[in-house]
Amino acid sequence: MTTITNHMPTAELQALDAAHHMHPFTHNDSLAEKGVRVITRARGVYLTDSDGHELLDAMAGLWCVNIGYGRRELAEAAARQMQELPYYNTFFQTTHTPAIALAQKLAERAPGDLNHVFFASSGSEANDTNIRLVRTYWDALGKPSKKTIISRMNAYHGSSVGSGSLGGMAFMHAQGGLPIPDVVHIGQPHWWAEGGDMTPEEFGLARARELETMIETLGEDNVAAFIAEPVQGAGGVIVPPDSYWPEIQRICDKYEILLIADEVICGFGRTGNWFGSQTLNIRPDIMTIAKGLSSGYQPIGGSIVSDAVAEVIAQVEFAHGYTYSGHPVAAAVALENLRILEEENIVGHVRDVAAPYMKTAWESLQDHPLVGETRIVGLMGSLALTPHKASRAKFAAEAGTAGLICREACFANNLVMRHVGDRMIISPPLIIQPEDIDKLIARARAALDICHAELKAQGLLKAAS
Ligand SMILES: *Cc1c(COP(=O)(O)O)cnc(C)c1O
C-alpha cells in the first residue's frame, strides 16, 4: 500500500481522489475532469494548496473555523483527552468531565433559561434531535397532535433525512424522497429577490405573517414548532428586514409554538454577540449549535434547551442519542475553543473592530457595476450580482452562472469566497484583522472586475425578462 502524503504531485492526488472519494454536494464526474483542489495546511486566515498558493479563506472553512487555523492549544487539549479517556458513552447512567464541563459552560453562555444541552456530532444530527424532541415534548404534555414543524423555503438545517426535510432547499428535496411528513415551509424574508414593489419593511412583515397564516391553516393544535436561522447562511446570507423577527416572535408567543433558532452558523460570535438570537432579539426555546462550537477542529453539535422544555422531557425516557453524544475528545476541544473565545475576547473583537471595519469595506463594493446590494451582519456578508441594479434584475442565464464565474475569479486571485446562485458570500474567521480585510476586499474587487469582463465577453450581461 502506498502512503499518501502532501508531498505527492497534485495530479497524482487528484487522480486518487477521483478514483475513490465521493464528494458532498458535488457533481463528481465534472470535478474529476477539472481536478480537485488539494488543501495541504493552514494558519490563521490563510490556506495553502498543493501547488503552493496561499489563499485567504473568507469562508472559515465551511463557516466554522472561527478562531482561525493552527491553534496548538486545541491540538493539545485533544491529545491530553485522548490519553486520559478517549471515549466513553453517556447513555447508561454514566458521564465524564468534558461533557459535564461543556454543558455547564454552554448553559452559562446561552441567553435566558437555555440551560440544558443534548449533544450530537453535527448540526444535522442536532436538528434531527430537535424534530424528535419537540414532538416528544408535546406528546408528554398530552398534545400528540402537535407534530408539524414549520420551516422556510431556502433554509438550510443539514443534510440528513430529518434535517434536510426541515431545510427548504428544493434541489435537495428532489433527491431521496424528502421532506418527511409533517414538515411545511413558508416563504423566506429575501427582499432583494422576492420583495417586488414592497419596501423591505413591508415585505418583512408580510413574510413573517405567513407563519400566522400557516398556523391558522394547519390549526394551532397541529403545530409543534417553527425553526429558522437568525440569518440564513447557506441560502445566501439573507439578512431579514428589521420588521421580520419581532413579528415572528410575536406570533410564536401568541400561539403555543416552540421556537427553534438554528444557531449553527450565527452562534459563537459570528454576528458580534455570542448568539445570533441576541443580535436579532429572538427568544428561542431551543438553539441548534455546531460549527463554531469547536471552530471545526472536532465534529460536535447539540441542542441547547430551555428549562421549561427540559423539565417536560425529563419526565419521559427520551429514546434518542448518538454513540458520540458528548464525545470526550470533541467536548474537550470545544471547551478549549470557548476558553480562547472568552479569554481573547474574540466576540468583542468582532463587535468592536472586525465587523465595523468589514461593514464599511464590504459596502464599498456597492459601487461596482455588477453589485446590486450588499448585506452584512457581524462577519457574515453577501452581495447580489445583477445585470441591472435599479430593477434588481436576475440574469437571463441560468442562476449561478455569474456566481460560478465570480467564484472562479476569486480563486484565481487567491481568495476563497463562495457563491449561492448569483450571490457571493463571506464568513471569514472571527480573528480576521483590518489588514486582511483590506486584502479580502481588494481581491474581491479584482474578481468582480474579471467576472464583469467575462460576462460581457460571453454576452451574459443580459437581464431575464
Ligand atoms: C451547516 C449547517 C447545519 C448542518 O450542520 P452539519 O454539521 O453540516 O450537519 C445546520 N444548520 C445550519 C444553519 C448550518 O449552517
Side-chain angles (χ1 to χ4, degrees):
M1 193 180 142
T2 51
T3 309
I4 296 172
T5 75
N6 275 338
H7 302 295
M8 287 173 74
T10 301
E12 239 171 276
L13 291 169
Q14 287 173 328
L16 285 165
D17 189 82
H20 305 294
H21 182 192
M22 300 168 77
H23 288 259
F25 287 94
T26 298
H27 190 290
N28 279 278
D29 273 352
S30 315
L31 178 64
E33 200 171 299
K34 181 181 169 200
V36 71
R37 185 180 296 268
V38 184
I39 303 299
T40 52
R41 65 182 76 81
R43 196 120 218 118
V45 300
Y46 292 93
L47 306 166
T48 306
D49 73 11
S50 57
D51 293 330
H53 297 117
E54 207 187 51
L55 301 143
L56 199 171
D57 183 9
M59 283 307 300
L62 211 44
W63 323 82
C64 54
V65 188
N66 288 357
I67 62 165
Y69 297 95
R71 290 299 299 247
R72 164 183 290 274
E73 300 92 322
L74 272 64
E76 287 168 354
R80 265 197 315 274
Q81 188 58 46
M82 281 194 196
Q83 288 170 51
E84 193 169 287
L85 179 71
Y87 175 76
Y88 201 71
N89 74 75
T90 51
F91 281 32
F92 305 118
Q93 308 191 349
T94 54
T95 190
H96 43 68
T97 48
I100 298 169
L102 183 57
Q104 186 271 333
K105 172 57 74 184
L106 289 169
E108 179 190 318
R109 272 295 159 198
D113 64 350
L114 295 165
N115 287 320
H116 310 267
V117 186
F118 197 105
F119 287 112
S121 296
S122 68
S124 300
E125 285 182 3
N127 277 326
D128 279 10
T129 297
N130 292 339
I131 294 172
R132 302 194 63 208
L133 191 73
V134 297
R135 290 177 177 172
T136 304
Y137 168 82
W138 290 116
D139 209 26
L141 286 178
K143 297 183 177 180
S145 69
K146 284 176 76 71
K147 266 172 72 176
T148 297
I149 302 172
I150 303 175
S151 179
R152 305 184 296 181
M153 289 177 238
N154 198 36
Y156 189 78
H157 296 299
S159 181
S160 60
V161 172
S163 64
S165 296
L166 291 179
M169 303 273 175
F171 70 98
M172 289 175 67
H173 291 177
Q175 294 173 334
L178 307 188
I180 58 171
D182 302 316
V183 176
V184 298
H185 300 83
I186 59 173
Q188 57 175 335
H190 189 357
W191 175 79
W192 168 266
E194 301 173 5
D197 293 334
M198 284 188 229
T199 66
E201 299 317 307
E202 288 166 355
F203 182 70
L205 273 183
R207 280 290 153 98
R209 284 179 187 153
E210 286 186 19
L211 177 60
E212 189 154 35
T213 306
M214 184 60 90
I215 293 168
E216 293 194 332
T217 306
L218 295 165
E220 191 183 333
D221 291 344
N222 297 314
V223 180
F226 174 64
I227 182 167
E229 304 149 83
V231 178
Q232 284 158 269
V237 184
I238 312 301
V239 183
D242 291 341
S243 57
Y244 181 76
W245 271 111
E247 185 66 2
I248 291 283
Q249 185 70 58
R250 178 191 72 75
I251 295 164
C252 290
D253 291 348
K254 176 176 166 193
Y255 300 90
E256 271 194 64
I257 302 302
L258 295 176
L259 174 55
I260 307 168
D262 186 336
E263 293 268 6
V264 169
I265 288 174
C266 294
F268 306 102
R270 174 64 54 199
T271 68
N273 285 295
W274 272 81
F275 295 96
S277 293
Q278 295 162 319
T279 302
L280 295 166
N281 239 321
I282 306 166
R283 282 176 284 102
D285 301 287
I286 298 172
M287 290 192 327
T288 318
I289 54 172
K291 294 195 173 117
L293 169 57
S294 65
S295 284
Y297 280 59
Q298 281 285 291
I300 184 166
S303 307
I304 314 185
V305 178
S306 72
D307 289 338
V309 172
E311 189 183 308
V312 171
I313 295 294
Q315 292 162 23
V316 300
E317 180 174 332
F318 185 37
H320 177 74
Y322 307 106
T323 300
Y324 299 137
S325 285
H327 191 287
V329 178
V333 169
L335 263 173
E336 188 62 12
N337 176 60
L338 299 184
R339 184 193 66 74
I340 287 174
L341 276 181
E342 283 184 351
E343 288 183 11
E344 298 181 9
N345 189 23
I346 290 174
V347 181
H349 167 75
V350 174
R351 186 186 53 237
D352 302 331
V353 180
Y357 194 88
M358 179 70 91
K359 184 172 159 64
T360 308
W362 189 247
E363 288 173 352
S364 76
L365 295 171
Q366 181 84 51
D367 67 4
H368 194 277
L370 263 189
V371 176
E373 69 160 1
T374 55
R375 300 287 280 158
I376 189 156
V377 173
L379 285 178
M380 57 194 297
S382 59
L383 57 82
L385 302 177
T386 179
H388 189 244
K389 293 189 195 217
S391 61
R392 312 206 306 269
K394 297 184 175 67
F395 290 93
E398 192 188 339
T401 306
L404 181 61
I405 292 172
C406 186
R407 189 197 68 183
E408 294 300 299
C410 289
F411 269 127
N413 279 281
N414 291 332
L415 173 66
V416 181
M417 173 155 78
R418 233 177 103 184
H419 78 110
V420 176
D422 294 319
R423 271 185 106 75
M424 305 308 300
I425 59 179
I426 54 162
S427 173
L430 304 184
I431 52 141
I432 195 167
Q433 298 295 328
E435 66 259 30
D436 297 314
I437 294 175
D438 290 342
K439 267 191 210 164
L440 188 162
I441 297 297
R443 292 178 190 183
R445 189 175 279 282
L448 286 165
D449 287 344
I450 293 171
C451 178
H452 192 229
E454 198 148 317
L455 289 170
K456 205 171 192 174
Q458 293 186 35
L460 291 173
L461 272 178
K462 284 198 288 282
S465 46

